[in-house]
Amino acid sequence: MTLTKALTVVTLAALAAGCQFAGPAPAARDAPSRSEPSRSEPVAGTTTAPPATVPPDKVLAAREGTLQGHTFNVEIVQLLRRERFVNLTFTATVTKDGGGLGWQVHNAFAAVPSQNPTVDGVFLVDVKNAKKHLVALDSEGRCVCSRIESLFLKQDQKAVFSATFAAPPADVGSVDVHIPNVGTLANVPIS
């Protein structure tokens, strides 16, 4: 197996582990509507999510952000080392609705505004080694992260997002996590 094929297999496995719906799997319906998320369970921030799992309950770091008149709380719920990769899972919950259809997440966490937004603007900072870790890319140059399409969140609604990064050295136990429109959450432990 070539290195490119091996990396693609590992990347797809990491994507499957990191980009998952939170809450029970939909049974009698195909997929939850991106514009009408449930208030009782988190909504995935990706359109390519595999079967549902609940994100961990422990909040590793949190910070509030405001965008387009909506206030939201971002919580990092998982930063998991998996061999050569680190999977980040975070949630965004609207705490103050600015009206209309709700907060259109769209490019809120993107590196550059796009018609097909993702959370590729999130990055890790290994302070110990002074190194910035960008979201991993697959063999076609697409980020290994959540993709966002037509996602509107009203007050108390939550969405789950994920991104995969190259892992810092094994002796690095925590990193700073920068999330666009939120800021940097310092010293987040890697489990």
Side-chain angles (χ1 to χ4, degrees), residues 98-110:
L101 294 173
W103 174 42
Q104 183 179 11
V105 179
H106 202 59
N107 282 301
F109 307 125

Side-chain angles (χ1 to χ4, degrees), residues 158-176:
K158 177 186 291 190
V160 177
F161 304 96
S162 65
T164 299
F165 305 85
D171 65 338
V172 175
S174 65
V175 292
D176 291 355

Side-chain angles (χ1 to χ4, degrees), residues 24-96:
R29 56 185 183 176
D30 290 334
S33 166
R34 297 292 175 244
S35 60
E36 292 298 327
S38 166
R39 290 183 186 268
S40 61
E41 63 186 46
V43 176
T46 177
T47 58
T48 58
T53 61
V54 176
D57 290 334
K58 184 177 180 184
V59 175
L60 303 175
R63 176 172 266 175
E64 191 172 77
T66 301
L67 192 62
Q68 303 164 347
H70 302 274
T71 304
F72 55 95
N73 189 46
V74 168
E75 296 178 337
I76 296 175
V77 294
Q78 187 175 58
L79 190 57
L80 180 65
R81 185 185 301 270
R82 292 187 177 201
E83 298 181 20
R84 296 181 10 217
F85 298 96
V86 171
N87 292 45
L88 168 72
T89 304
F90 67 97
T91 64
T93 306
V94 174
T95 56
K96 182 178 177 234

Side-chain angles (χ1 to χ4, degrees), residues 1-14 84-85 139:
M1 180 180 281
T2 68
L3 180 59
T4 303
K5 286 182 182 177
L7 184 55
T8 301
V9 168
V10 170
T11 301
L12 290 175
R84 296 181 10 217
F85 298 96
S139 61

